[in-house]
Amino acid sequence: MNYKMVLLLSYYFCPVKQIMAIIQRELRHELRSRKAWLAILLYTGSTVYISYLGLQGSNDTATHNAVFWLLIIFISMFATSGSFAGRESEMFYIYTLVSPSRFILARLLYNGVFLLSVSLFAFLCFQFFVGFGDTNIALFLAALLLTVWGISSLLTMSFSIASKGGGGFTLMAILCFPLLVPLLITAQYLSGLSLSGGETSNYGGYVAALLALDAMIAALCYLLFPYLWRD
């Protein structure tokens, strides 16, 4: 069945089906853009390999940790930069079919899973080329999951506002900065605990902070997007 018809029918029957229809539509759009996927994978692999060349001979886990999160930021911005850009007419049609809250919820879920997949690929590449040494993998992956989900929500909100405002990356950077800095600082501390090889019993506060930041960013995106939608 045509995805446009699915969106139209699901609007009258079930919000969950409507959200799933939007996610399926986004997935179909990504699958058609094979060059975009290859570009993201190539960008991720090349940045990790360049970092490996620069870190050769260094066994400082704190440096490895800092470089990894810098890579995650650049990879995240590159991977999500096409979420709204160049799709104004397409988005305008969707705006006539769905409510703003359901649309942004679907985009948050899709972009979160998409960016998490890319970040896991980056983690595997970084672990293969550079390595983290004695690592609590479970704690590190928990930090990666919570941080990437927050980054995804923040970039989704920022790109949507920037695409409407016409400010591009300048406006997006201004919108991201106040919440991105505490998110990254908390993530670096938490992942640093997983790399220390010692006691990790005091990680609860950092996990709670990341959860609170993720919830605040998602709530801001969910509440602010309907006002942007009206314009």
Side-chain angles (χ1 to χ4, degrees), residues 19 88 152:
I19 292 172
E88 288 78 10
S152 171

Side-chain angles (χ1 to χ4, degrees), residues 43-65:
Y43 181 84
T44 302
S46 60
T47 51
V48 170
Y49 185 71
I50 290 172
S51 300
Y52 158 71
L53 294 178
L55 292 172
Q56 278 185 326
S58 173
N59 295 319
D60 186 9
T61 56
T63 302
H64 294 181
N65 189 32

Side-chain angles (χ1 to χ4, degrees), residues 3-215:
Y3 277 91
K4 295 179 182 178
M5 184 62 67
V6 172
L7 281 172
L8 187 60
L9 293 175
S10 61
Y11 180 78
Y12 296 101
F13 293 105
C14 181
V16 176
K17 289 183 179 179
Q18 188 180 46
I19 292 172
M20 292 304 299
I22 298 172
I23 293 175
Q24 290 174 8
R25 187 183 182 284
E26 292 299 317
L27 181 60
R28 188 183 180 193
H29 173 79
E30 292 291 343
L31 291 177
R32 287 200 306 263
S33 306
R34 294 183 180 179
K35 292 182 179 179
W37 273 95
L38 292 175
I40 291 171
L41 295 178
L42 179 62
Y43 181 84
T44 302
S46 60
T47 51
V48 170
Y49 185 71
I50 290 172
S51 300
Y52 158 71
L53 294 178
L55 292 172
Q56 278 185 326
S58 173
N59 295 319
D60 186 9
T61 56
T63 302
H64 294 181
N65 189 32
V67 170
F68 176 77
W69 288 112
L70 285 174
L71 290 177
I72 290 295
I73 287 298
F74 286 112
I75 291 169
S76 300
M77 293 183 65
F78 182 82
T80 57
S81 59
S83 296
F84 292 90
R87 302 176 62 187
E88 288 78 10
S89 59
E90 184 181 350
M91 291 300 164
F92 179 78
Y93 178 77
I94 297 178
Y95 292 168
T96 63
L97 298 178
V98 299
S99 66
S101 58
R102 294 173 188 174
F103 175 78
I104 197 61
L105 182 58
R107 290 307 299 261
L108 287 173
L109 291 173
Y110 176 80
N111 284 350
V113 174
F114 173 71
L115 194 54
L116 183 60
S117 302
V118 176
S119 299
L120 286 174
F121 175 72
F123 170 75
L124 292 175
C125 290
F126 198 88
Q127 181 74 356
F128 177 78
F129 285 109
V130 181
F132 287 109
D134 187 11
T135 310
N136 186 332
I137 295 294
L139 184 57
F140 192 94
L141 290 179
L144 182 64
L145 169 64
L146 294 175
T147 306
V148 167
W149 197 269
I151 292 173
S152 171
S153 301
L154 185 58
L155 290 178
T156 300
M157 178 182 67
S158 301
F159 274 119
S160 64
I161 296 175
S163 64
K164 279 285 188 177
F169 281 97
T170 303
L171 181 58
M172 188 267 309
I174 295 173
L175 294 170
C176 281
F177 188 76
L179 290 173
L180 186 60
V181 171
L183 188 67
L184 285 177
I185 290 175
T186 308
Q188 188 171 357
Y189 278 123
L190 181 58
S191 58
L193 286 177
S194 70
L195 298 175
S196 63
E199 183 62 38
T200 59
S201 59
N202 56 341
Y203 65 85
Y206 296 114
V207 172
L210 284 177
L211 286 172
L213 285 169
D214 286 354

